[in-house]
Amino acid sequence: MQLGPHIAVLTGFAQRHLSGDAEGDKLINLKLEHSIQVLDTARHIIAGETITGRTADICLLAALYHDTGRFPQFARYQTFNDRESVNHARLGVLTLRSMTLPDGLSGEEWRIVRFAVAQHNAKTVRPTLPARLLHPVMVVRDADKLDIFRVLLDHFGENKKNPLVAMGLEDTSVQYSDEVYQAVLQGRTGDYRHMRFANDFKLLLAGWLHELHYPTTLAMAVEQRFPDRIFAMLPDDEPLRRLKDSVMSSIRYKF
Ligand SMILES: [Fe+2]
């Protein structure tokens, strides 16, 4: 399948949301770049997991279009925080339904793409989904997480921080929330609602390491040293050393 026309459609759509405000436009461009990177990561995952045929095409399109809702979300609300605006996955589904998209997919295949878009930011996903639905959903979720690791680790490593990237969380060097810490320690999904500090966001990322679905994705995360880099940015205290040991040994166990 030709992805070029799809990339052109999404690029044109994103560019229509540029406002002329330099800071805002930088964030729109960041989301477009994220979408292309997620597509690229999805390509690696489907190759590593030998996902082929139409399912592979659907996975790639779902990856490319997964954040379509981010552009109208930012134009309307000037935030990427879903709690302060709308669920951007749901907005993405509505937006995709109204867009003119390149030919080549059946109505049923587009429905699966939109299903994967709708599920990409859900806290959990039903593991019993049939493979034709499970792969698009999981490829997008894994590829998205991997690229969020990249964006946020770069962001937290920068001196000049844009508060919107880390959703305006308080950036103190030592504080983190016990709820988020306990969730990650117990291998549960951290909850965005409990996040107060920038460190909570880093803890949430550490928790995602448990949740990567495909061995290929975890291998890519380890290759890019994401686990080490996440913990290097968190405070060096006893509870966090314990968490690091537990996350690292669960990663080793999966290989
Ligand atoms: Fe998203």
Side-chain angles (χ1 to χ4, degrees):
M1 192 190 45
Q2 290 285 334
L3 285 166
H6 291 279
I7 295 173
V9 163
L10 188 71
T11 304
F13 182 73
Q15 286 169 347
R16 283 201 292 286
H17 291 82
L18 296 172
S19 68
D21 168 65
E23 278 298 303
D25 288 355
K26 195 174 145 191
L27 291 166
I28 292 282
N29 284 322
L30 212 65
K31 283 294 172 199
L32 178 61
E33 192 189 313
H34 165 69
S35 304
I36 310 278
Q37 290 283 348
V38 170
L39 168 65
D40 209 47
T41 304
R43 258 194 252 263
H44 281 89
I45 298 172
I46 64 173
E49 299 293 326
T50 18
I51 299 167
T52 56
R54 297 304 274 177
T55 302
D57 291 343
I58 292 169
C59 290
L60 293 176
L61 290 182
L64 175 67
Y65 289 117
H66 80 283
D67 259 353
T68 304
R70 285 301 193 189
F71 306 107
Q73 178 187 39
F74 194 77
R76 277 178 222 166
Y77 303 99
Q78 283 80 51
T79 181
F80 292 135
N81 187 329
D82 285 15
R83 277 175 299 148
E84 290 172 4
S85 54
V86 284
N87 179 337
H88 73 279
R90 216 172 300 151
L91 182 58
V93 169
L94 293 174
T95 307
L96 282 168
R97 291 179 80 99
S98 71
M99 284 167 75
T100 307
L101 296 161
D103 293 334
L105 258 72
S106 70
E108 173 60 15
E109 288 167 336
W110 276 118
R111 264 192 292 280
I112 301 175
V113 170
R114 290 195 299 268
F115 178 72
V117 170
Q119 295 288 315
H120 89 268
N121 66 344
K123 203 174 159 200
T124 51
V125 167
R126 203 154 42 92
T128 52
L129 287 173
R132 71 194 171 84
L133 297 179
L134 190 69
H135 280 314
V137 168
M138 290 308 191
V139 166
V140 174
R141 288 171 67 92
D142 270 21
D144 189 28
K145 287 190 175 81
L146 214 63
D147 197 57
I148 294 175
F149 284 141
R150 175 189 68 83
V151 171
L152 287 168
L153 287 174
D154 286 354
H155 167 76
F156 286 122
E158 264 179 36
N159 288 327
K160 185 177 175 298
K161 290 168 182 154
N162 185 323
L164 288 172
V165 176
M167 302 199 294
L169 294 165
E170 217 178 311
D171 199 355
T172 68
S173 58
V174 291
Q175 286 169 292
Y176 55 90
S177 306
D178 193 50
E179 290 93 332
V180 180
Y181 171 81
Q182 291 299 339
V184 177
L185 185 66
Q186 290 158 29
R188 286 187 281 118
T189 307
D191 194 323
Y192 278 98
R193 280 172 307 175
H194 292 134
M195 292 202 309
R196 286 178 54 208
F197 306 107
N199 282 333
D200 295 340
F201 211 144
K202 298 172 201 170
L203 278 171
L204 195 87
L205 295 183
W208 283 357
L209 293 166
H210 289 303
E211 289 172 41
L212 295 173
H213 183 74
Y214 297 106
T216 303
T217 323
L218 188 58
M220 288 169 78
V222 169
E223 195 182 296
Q224 293 170 73
R225 299 186 39 256
F226 288 149
D228 282 326
R229 290 170 62 198
I230 291 165
F231 283 102
M233 288 183 179
L234 280 160
D236 182 23
D237 64 18
E238 176 49 34
L240 285 172
R241 279 194 289 274
R242 198 169 349 123
L243 180 67
K244 182 178 179 182
D245 287 346
S246 132
V247 168
M248 291 308 200
S249 63
S250 98
I251 290 175
R252 274 192 294 275
Y253 173 74
K254 287 184 181 167
F255 275 108

PDB file of all heavy atoms in Angstrom, residues 172-176 181 199 202-203 228 230-245:
ATOM      1  N   THR A 172       9.454  19.897  40.142  1.00  0.00           N
ATOM      2  CA  THR A 172      10.412  19.985  41.245  1.00  0.00           C
ATOM      3  C   THR A 172      11.314  18.765  41.115  1.00  0.00           C
ATOM      4  O   THR A 172      10.908  17.750  40.566  1.00  0.00           O
ATOM      5  CB  THR A 172       9.713  19.927  42.616  1.00  0.00           C
ATOM      6  OG1 THR A 172       9.183  18.608  42.771  1.00  0.00           O
ATOM      7  CG2 THR A 172       8.590  20.946  42.718  1.00  0.00           C
ATOM      8  N   SER A 173      12.519  18.864  41.622  1.00  0.00           N
ATOM      9  CA  SER A 173      13.452  17.765  41.362  1.00  0.00           C
ATOM     10  C   SER A 173      13.206  16.546  42.251  1.00  0.00           C
ATOM     11  O   SER A 173      13.565  15.443  41.899  1.00  0.00           O
ATOM     12  CB  SER A 173      14.880  18.259  41.524  1.00  0.00           C
ATOM     13  OG  SER A 173      15.018  18.760  42.827  1.00  0.00           O
ATOM     14  N   VAL A 174      12.572  16.730  43.424  1.00  0.00           N
ATOM     15  CA  VAL A 174      12.504  15.604  44.357  1.00  0.00           C
ATOM     16  C   VAL A 174      11.105  15.046  44.614  1.00  0.00           C
ATOM     17  O   VAL A 174      10.972  13.925  45.106  1.00  0.00           O
ATOM     18  CB  VAL A 174      13.127  15.962  45.733  1.00  0.00           C
ATOM     19  CG1 VAL A 174      14.633  16.129  45.600  1.00  0.00           C
ATOM     20  CG2 VAL A 174      12.484  17.200  46.312  1.00  0.00           C
ATOM     21  N   GLN A 175      10.055  15.813  44.298  1.00  0.00           N
ATOM     22  CA  GLN A 175       8.728  15.343  44.721  1.00  0.00           C
ATOM     23  C   GLN A 175       8.063  14.437  43.692  1.00  0.00           C
ATOM     24  O   GLN A 175       8.207  14.640  42.483  1.00  0.00           O
ATOM     25  CB  GLN A 175       7.818  16.543  44.975  1.00  0.00           C
ATOM     26  CG  GLN A 175       8.164  17.257  46.253  1.00  0.00           C
ATOM     27  CD  GLN A 175       7.430  18.580  46.331  1.00  0.00           C
ATOM     28  OE1 GLN A 175       7.707  19.493  45.576  1.00  0.00           O
ATOM     29  NE2 GLN A 175       6.477  18.649  47.238  1.00  0.00           N
ATOM     30  N   TYR A 176       7.355  13.439  44.197  1.00  0.00           N
ATOM     31  CA  TYR A 176       6.510  12.603  43.343  1.00  0.00           C
ATOM     32  C   TYR A 176       5.350  12.109  44.186  1.00  0.00           C
ATOM     33  O   TYR A 176       5.410  12.147  45.422  1.00  0.00           O
ATOM     34  CB  TYR A 176       7.308  11.450  42.717  1.00  0.00           C
ATOM     35  CG  TYR A 176       8.057  10.560  43.687  1.00  0.00           C
ATOM     36  CD1 TYR A 176       7.464   9.434  44.231  1.00  0.00           C
ATOM     37  CD2 TYR A 176       9.365  10.870  44.056  1.00  0.00           C
ATOM     38  CE1 TYR A 176       8.157   8.615  45.127  1.00  0.00           C
ATOM     39  CE2 TYR A 176      10.060  10.063  44.958  1.00  0.00           C
ATOM     40  CZ  TYR A 176       9.454   8.943  45.475  1.00  0.00           C
ATOM     41  OH  TYR A 176      10.134   8.148  46.366  1.00  0.00           O
ATOM     42  N   TYR A 181       3.508   6.237  42.374  1.00  0.00           N
ATOM     43  CA  TYR A 181       4.622   5.343  42.721  1.00  0.00           C
ATOM     44  C   TYR A 181       4.112   3.928  43.026  1.00  0.00           C
ATOM     45  O   TYR A 181       4.617   2.940  42.503  1.00  0.00           O
ATOM     46  CB  TYR A 181       5.380   5.907  43.928  1.00  0.00           C
ATOM     47  CG  TYR A 181       6.409   4.938  44.472  1.00  0.00           C
ATOM     48  CD1 TYR A 181       7.660   4.826  43.872  1.00  0.00           C
ATOM     49  CD2 TYR A 181       6.106   4.115  45.561  1.00  0.00           C
ATOM     50  CE1 TYR A 181       8.599   3.913  44.336  1.00  0.00           C
ATOM     51  CE2 TYR A 181       7.035   3.199  46.036  1.00  0.00           C
ATOM     52  CZ  TYR A 181       8.274   3.098  45.419  1.00  0.00           C
ATOM     53  OH  TYR A 181       9.189   2.190  45.878  1.00  0.00           O
ATOM     54  N   ASN A 199       7.801  14.578  37.980  1.00  0.00           N
ATOM     55  CA  ASN A 199       8.322  13.244  38.302  1.00  0.00           C
ATOM     56  C   ASN A 199       7.241  12.165  38.181  1.00  0.00           C
ATOM     57  O   ASN A 199       7.555  11.011  37.882  1.00  0.00           O
ATOM     58  CB  ASN A 199       8.903  13.213  39.722  1.00  0.00           C
ATOM     59  CG  ASN A 199      10.278  13.850  39.769  1.00  0.00           C
ATOM     60  OD1 ASN A 199      10.990  13.861  38.762  1.00  0.00           O
ATOM     61  ND2 ASN A 199      10.653  14.375  40.926  1.00  0.00           N
ATOM     62  N   LYS A 202       7.271  10.947  34.755  1.00  0.00           N
ATOM     63  CA  LYS A 202       8.397  10.032  34.511  1.00  0.00           C
ATOM     64  C   LYS A 202       8.085   8.649  35.105  1.00  0.00           C
ATOM     65  O   LYS A 202       8.410   7.617  34.509  1.00  0.00           O
ATOM     66  CB  LYS A 202       9.682  10.600  35.118  1.00  0.00           C
ATOM     67  CG  LYS A 202      10.081  11.938  34.491  1.00  0.00           C
ATOM     68  CD  LYS A 202      11.240  12.572  35.250  1.00  0.00           C
ATOM     69  CE  LYS A 202      11.312  14.069  34.988  1.00  0.00           C
ATOM     70  NZ  LYS A 202      12.260  14.760  35.860  1.00  0.00           N
ATOM     71  N   LEU A 203       7.431   8.644  36.273  1.00  0.00           N
ATOM     72  CA  LEU A 203       7.030   7.363  36.875  1.00  0.00           C
ATOM     73  C   LEU A 203       6.015   6.638  36.002  1.00  0.00           C
ATOM     74  O   LEU A 203       6.079   5.415  35.838  1.00  0.00           O
ATOM     75  CB  LEU A 203       6.399   7.612  38.253  1.00  0.00           C
ATOM     76  CG  LEU A 203       7.364   7.803  39.406  1.00  0.00           C
ATOM     77  CD1 LEU A 203       6.616   8.262  40.651  1.00  0.00           C
ATOM     78  CD2 LEU A 203       8.097   6.489  39.700  1.00  0.00           C
ATOM     79  N   ASP A 228      16.962   3.001  31.541  1.00  0.00           N
ATOM     80  CA  ASP A 228      18.024   3.693  32.294  1.00  0.00           C
ATOM     81  C   ASP A 228      17.816   5.199  32.302  1.00  0.00           C
ATOM     82  O   ASP A 228      18.003   5.860  33.315  1.00  0.00           O
ATOM     83  CB  ASP A 228      19.394   3.421  31.634  1.00  0.00           C
ATOM     84  CG  ASP A 228      19.894   2.044  32.006  1.00  0.00           C
ATOM     85  OD1 ASP A 228      19.608   1.618  33.139  1.00  0.00           O
ATOM     86  OD2 ASP A 228      20.554   1.407  31.152  1.00  0.00           O
ATOM     87  N   ILE A 230      15.051   6.913  31.956  1.00  0.00           N
ATOM     88  CA  ILE A 230      13.913   7.351  32.784  1.00  0.00           C
ATOM     89  C   ILE A 230      14.350   7.416  34.252  1.00  0.00           C
ATOM     90  O   ILE A 230      14.128   8.416  34.940  1.00  0.00           O
ATOM     91  CB  ILE A 230      12.707   6.405  32.627  1.00  0.00           C
ATOM     92  CG1 ILE A 230      12.115   6.533  31.227  1.00  0.00           C
ATOM     93  CG2 ILE A 230      11.640   6.697  33.686  1.00  0.00           C
ATOM     94  CD1 ILE A 230      11.160   5.412  30.857  1.00  0.00           C
ATOM     95  N   PHE A 231      14.997   6.351  34.720  1.00  0.00           N
ATOM     96  CA  PHE A 231      15.373   6.334  36.140  1.00  0.00           C
ATOM     97  C   PHE A 231      16.478   7.336  36.452  1.00  0.00           C
ATOM     98  O   PHE A 231      16.542   7.859  37.561  1.00  0.00           O
ATOM     99  CB  PHE A 231      15.724   4.911  36.588  1.00  0.00           C
ATOM    100  CG  PHE A 231      14.492   4.086  36.806  1.00  0.00           C
ATOM    101  CD1 PHE A 231      14.077   3.152  35.875  1.00  0.00           C
ATOM    102  CD2 PHE A 231      13.699   4.298  37.934  1.00  0.00           C
ATOM    103  CE1 PHE A 231      12.912   2.415  36.055  1.00  0.00           C
ATOM    104  CE2 PHE A 231      12.527   3.574  38.132  1.00  0.00           C
ATOM    105  CZ  PHE A 231      12.136   2.629  37.184  1.00  0.00           C
ATOM    106  N   ALA A 232      17.323   7.634  35.468  1.00  0.00           N
ATOM    107  CA  ALA A 232      18.375   8.638  35.703  1.00  0.00           C
ATOM    108  C   ALA A 232      17.773  10.022  35.947  1.00  0.00           C
ATOM    109  O   ALA A 232      18.392  10.882  36.567  1.00  0.00           O
ATOM    110  CB  ALA A 232      19.330   8.675  34.510  1.00  0.00           C
ATOM    111  N   MET A 233      16.534  10.237  35.472  1.00  0.00           N
ATOM    112  CA  MET A 233      15.911  11.556  35.631  1.00  0.00           C
ATOM    113  C   MET A 233      15.037  11.644  36.883  1.00  0.00           C
ATOM    114  O   MET A 233      14.475  12.697  37.180  1.00  0.00           O
ATOM    115  CB  MET A 233      15.050  11.870  34.421  1.00  0.00           C
ATOM    116  CG  MET A 233      15.897  12.169  33.223  1.00  0.00           C
ATOM    117  SD  MET A 233      14.851  12.617  31.865  1.00  0.00           S
ATOM    118  CE  MET A 233      16.106  12.925  30.644  1.00  0.00           C
ATOM    119  N   LEU A 234      14.878  10.535  37.580  1.00  0.00           N
ATOM    120  CA  LEU A 234      14.076  10.542  38.811  1.00  0.00           C
ATOM    121  C   LEU A 234      15.003  10.723  40.014  1.00  0.00           C
ATOM    122  O   LEU A 234      16.204  10.451  39.925  1.00  0.00           O
ATOM    123  CB  LEU A 234      13.306   9.223  38.915  1.00  0.00           C
ATOM    124  CG  LEU A 234      12.029   9.169  38.065  1.00  0.00           C
ATOM    125  CD1 LEU A 234      11.578   7.738  37.815  1.00  0.00           C
ATOM    126  CD2 LEU A 234      10.903   9.963  38.734  1.00  0.00           C
ATOM    127  N   PRO A 235      14.445  11.176  41.146  1.00  0.00           N
ATOM    128  CA  PRO A 235      15.295  11.338  42.328  1.00  0.00           C
ATOM    129  C   PRO A 235      15.955  10.007  42.714  1.00  0.00           C
ATOM    130  O   PRO A 235      15.394   8.940  42.460  1.00  0.00           O
ATOM    131  CB  PRO A 235      14.320  11.783  43.425  1.00  0.00           C
ATOM    132  CG  PRO A 235      13.084  12.212  42.725  1.00  0.00           C
ATOM    133  CD  PRO A 235      13.043  11.543  41.403  1.00  0.00           C
ATOM    134  N   ASP A 236      17.128  10.102  43.320  1.00  0.00           N
ATOM    135  CA  ASP A 236      17.870   8.899  43.703  1.00  0.00           C
ATOM    136  C   ASP A 236      17.574   8.621  45.176  1.00  0.00           C
ATOM    137  O   ASP A 236      18.340   8.995  46.055  1.00  0.00           O
ATOM    138  CB  ASP A 236      19.365   9.162  43.452  1.00  0.00           C
ATOM    139  CG  ASP A 236      20.200   7.943  43.777  1.00  0.00           C
ATOM    140  OD1 ASP A 236      19.649   6.821  43.766  1.00  0.00           O
ATOM    141  OD2 ASP A 236      21.401   8.109  44.044  1.00  0.00           O
ATOM    142  N   ASP A 237      16.417   7.994  45.464  1.00  0.00           N
ATOM    143  CA  ASP A 237      16.120   7.667  46.863  1.00  0.00           C
ATOM    144  C   ASP A 237      15.797   6.169  46.967  1.00  0.00           C
ATOM    145  O   ASP A 237      15.683   5.478  45.961  1.00  0.00           O
ATOM    146  CB  ASP A 237      14.990   8.551  47.436  1.00  0.00           C
ATOM    147  CG  ASP A 237      13.651   8.343  46.735  1.00  0.00           C
ATOM    148  OD1 ASP A 237      13.479   7.318  46.053  1.00  0.00           O
ATOM    149  OD2 ASP A 237      12.770   9.205  46.879  1.00  0.00           O
ATOM    150  N   GLU A 238      15.642   5.702  48.169  1.00  0.00           N
ATOM    151  CA  GLU A 238      15.479   4.268  48.414  1.00  0.00           C
ATOM    152  C   GLU A 238      14.242   3.682  47.689  1.00  0.00           C
ATOM    153  O   GLU A 238      14.367   2.688  46.970  1.00  0.00           O
ATOM    154  CB  GLU A 238      15.465   4.026  49.938  1.00  0.00           C
ATOM    155  CG  GLU A 238      15.215   2.615  50.400  1.00  0.00           C
ATOM    156  CD  GLU A 238      16.071   1.573  49.697  1.00  0.00           C
ATOM    157  OE1 GLU A 238      17.238   1.887  49.358  1.00  0.00           O
ATOM    158  OE2 GLU A 238      15.561   0.456  49.442  1.00  0.00           O
ATOM    159  N   PRO A 239      13.043   4.298  47.857  1.00  0.00           N
ATOM    160  CA  PRO A 239      11.879   3.724  47.172  1.00  0.00           C
ATOM    161  C   PRO A 239      12.079   3.647  45.656  1.00  0.00           C
ATOM    162  O   PRO A 239      11.677   2.672  45.016  1.00  0.00           O
ATOM    163  CB  PRO A 239      10.739   4.691  47.508  1.00  0.00           C
ATOM    164  CG  PRO A 239      11.179   5.408  48.726  1.00  0.00           C
ATOM    165  CD  PRO A 239      12.674   5.458  48.701  1.00  0.00           C
ATOM    166  N   LEU A 240      12.712   4.655  45.082  1.00  0.00           N
ATOM    167  CA  LEU A 240      12.874   4.640  43.621  1.00  0.00           C
ATOM    168  C   LEU A 240      13.926   3.635  43.181  1.00  0.00           C
ATOM    169  O   LEU A 240      13.813   3.043  42.113  1.00  0.00           O
ATOM    170  CB  LEU A 240      13.190   6.043  43.105  1.00  0.00           C
ATOM    171  CG  LEU A 240      11.942   6.934  43.098  1.00  0.00           C
ATOM    172  CD1 LEU A 240      12.292   8.369  42.784  1.00  0.00           C
ATOM    173  CD2 LEU A 240      10.893   6.431  42.114  1.00  0.00           C
ATOM    174  N   ARG A 241      14.935   3.388  44.050  1.00  0.00           N
ATOM    175  CA  ARG A 241      15.915   2.338  43.712  1.00  0.00           C
ATOM    176  C   ARG A 241      15.215   0.973  43.710  1.00  0.00           C
ATOM    177  O   ARG A 241      15.478   0.127  42.858  1.00  0.00           O
ATOM    178  CB  ARG A 241      17.090   2.352  44.696  1.00  0.00           C
ATOM    179  CG  ARG A 241      18.115   3.444  44.341  1.00  0.00           C
ATOM    180  CD  ARG A 241      19.420   3.232  45.089  1.00  0.00           C
ATOM    181  NE  ARG A 241      19.276   3.513  46.518  1.00  0.00           N
ATOM    182  CZ  ARG A 241      19.410   4.739  47.054  1.00  0.00           C
ATOM    183  NH1 ARG A 241      19.705   5.780  46.299  1.00  0.00           N
ATOM    184  NH2 ARG A 241      19.257   4.918  48.341  1.00  0.00           N
ATOM    185  N   ARG A 242      14.289   0.793  44.666  1.00  0.00           N
ATOM    186  CA  ARG A 242      13.547  -0.473  44.732  1.00  0.00           C
ATOM    187  C   ARG A 242      12.689  -0.644  43.464  1.00  0.00           C
ATOM    188  O   ARG A 242      12.613  -1.710  42.873  1.00  0.00           O
ATOM    189  CB  ARG A 242      12.653  -0.465  45.976  1.00  0.00           C
ATOM    190  CG  ARG A 242      12.203  -1.856  46.362  1.00  0.00           C
ATOM    191  CD  ARG A 242      11.542  -1.954  47.741  1.00  0.00           C
ATOM    192  NE  ARG A 242      11.661  -0.789  48.588  1.00  0.00           N
ATOM    193  CZ  ARG A 242      10.616  -0.124  49.114  1.00  0.00           C
ATOM    194  NH1 ARG A 242       9.381  -0.498  48.856  1.00  0.00           N
ATOM    195  NH2 ARG A 242      10.812   0.908  49.912  1.00  0.00           N
ATOM    196  N   LEU A 243      12.052   0.457  43.070  1.00  0.00           N
ATOM    197  CA  LEU A 243      11.215   0.395  41.859  1.00  0.00           C
ATOM    198  C   LEU A 243      12.070   0.073  40.629  1.00  0.00           C
ATOM    199  O   LEU A 243      11.682  -0.742  39.782  1.00  0.00           O
ATOM    200  CB  LEU A 243      10.505   1.739  41.657  1.00  0.00           C
ATOM    201  CG  LEU A 243       9.602   1.789  40.431  1.00  0.00           C
ATOM    202  CD1 LEU A 243       8.405   0.863  40.596  1.00  0.00           C
ATOM    203  CD2 LEU A 243       9.101   3.210  40.171  1.00  0.00           C
ATOM    204  N   LYS A 244      13.233   0.698  40.549  1.00  0.00           N
ATOM    205  CA  LYS A 244      14.096   0.454  39.390  1.00  0.00           C
ATOM    206  C   LYS A 244      14.483  -1.032  39.329  1.00  0.00           C
ATOM    207  O   LYS A 244      14.400  -1.658  38.260  1.00  0.00           O
ATOM    208  CB  LYS A 244      15.358   1.324  39.464  1.00  0.00           C
ATOM    209  CG  LYS A 244      16.249   1.126  38.251  1.00  0.00           C
ATOM    210  CD  LYS A 244      17.481   2.009  38.274  1.00  0.00           C
ATOM    211  CE  LYS A 244      18.325   1.706  37.027  1.00  0.00           C
ATOM    212  NZ  LYS A 244      19.556   2.475  36.965  1.00  0.00           N
ATOM    213  N   ASP A 245      14.862  -1.599  40.476  1.00  0.00           N
ATOM    214  CA  ASP A 245      15.219  -3.028  40.502  1.00  0.00           C
ATOM    215  C   ASP A 245      14.063  -3.881  40.004  1.00  0.00           C
ATOM    216  O   ASP A 245      14.253  -4.810  39.232  1.00  0.00           O
ATOM    217  CB  ASP A 245      15.572  -3.471  41.937  1.00  0.00           C
ATOM    218  CG  ASP A 245      16.921  -2.921  42.355  1.00  0.00           C
ATOM    219  OD1 ASP A 245      17.658  -2.444  41.456  1.00  0.00           O
ATOM    220  OD2 ASP A 245      17.228  -2.954  43.565  1.00  0.00           O
TER     221      ASP A 245
END
